[in-house]
Amino acid sequence: VPRVDRNTRRLLDLFDRKGVKGTFFVLGWVAERQKDLVREIDAAGHEVACHGWSHQLVYNQERSVFRDETRRSKSLLEDIVGKPVLGYRAASYSVTGDSLWALDELVDAGFVYDSSIFPVRHDRYGIPDGERWPHAMKTPSGAELVEFPLSTARRAGMNLPVAGGGYFRLYPYGVTRWGLQSVNEEGGPFIFYMHPWEVDPGQPRVPAASWKSKFRHYTGLEGCEGKLERLLGDFRFGTCRDVLAGLQLLEAPAAWT
């Protein structure tokens, strides 16, 4: 059984025990090989959204390649689940100031919302002065797209990333809990993300990877699933589309079936 299948099912089982629904941003490359898994995600009441096809950084792709891969992935996912795929997330949040053109491609492909912009400073991604809350934005060509940015907490005039993933594995649990609570206390929803491999401490190591990549990828794997289970009990969760509909940024759920 491929590790992505096994690890995703671990998350599905955990979410089922906790009564949690979420949004799964699925790679087209994975969906093509694991169609039954994608159907099970949908059948369990989770939202299936698009993560592109090959996990290439947007700003490293030719626009035509990005267009073709994104549409190919969206079409495949919609064929598998039999309903519209509304949302998109770029590999490694690679919609940056250098790749905002991708937002026009998303609108042209039929996406309703994006969740790729991280309002932080980072060596691989980020728009530091980006809007921190879900909002309707104008793309470079003037089209409208809803953006659900990755969550940050404000501290000393800075945006601190608290949205999950590597930050969740590296931070003590209390830091993430504080950060997410602070987002809620500011009056808005937070977005929290995980990858299936982050609950797989036995995954093979890649010896040739740089020390920075090894640190980012492997640190904190051992305790991640337990921390996640605790988090699911401390906060309420839902799908991106449900949260955005509750904020009146998307249409009513009846339009999605």
Side-chain angles (χ1 to χ4, degrees), residues 117-165:
I117 295 178
F118 214 147
V120 295
R121 295 189 184 279
H122 191 277
D123 60 341
R124 299 185 71 198
Y125 54 74
I127 299 180
D129 59 351
E131 170 64 53
R132 294 176 58 231
W133 305 106
H135 60 286
M137 69 180 300
K138 293 293 185 182
T139 68
S141 72
E144 189 167 288
L145 182 69
V146 173
E147 179 66 32
F148 199 152
L150 279 295
S151 293
T152 58
R154 290 291 288 174
R155 191 75 168 183
M158 295 170 39
N159 292 346
L160 302 180
V162 293

Side-chain angles (χ1 to χ4, degrees), residues 168-222:
F168 185 58
R169 289 183 285 108
L170 293 168
Y171 293 161
Y173 177 77
V175 173
T176 295
R177 190 172 189 275
W178 163 81
L180 298 180
Q181 279 183 325
S182 73
V183 174
N184 284 164
E185 288 167 1
E186 283 191 76
F190 63 75
I191 195 162
F192 182 86
Y193 72 93
M194 292 290 299
H195 303 89
W197 58 261
E198 291 182 288
V199 295
D200 182 8
Q203 64 189 265
R205 268 47 175 177
V206 180
S210 69
W211 71 265
K212 184 184 286 188
S213 293
K214 290 178 181 178
F215 178 75
R216 287 175 172 172
H217 192 94
Y218 300 124
T219 301
L221 291 175
E222 292 290 341

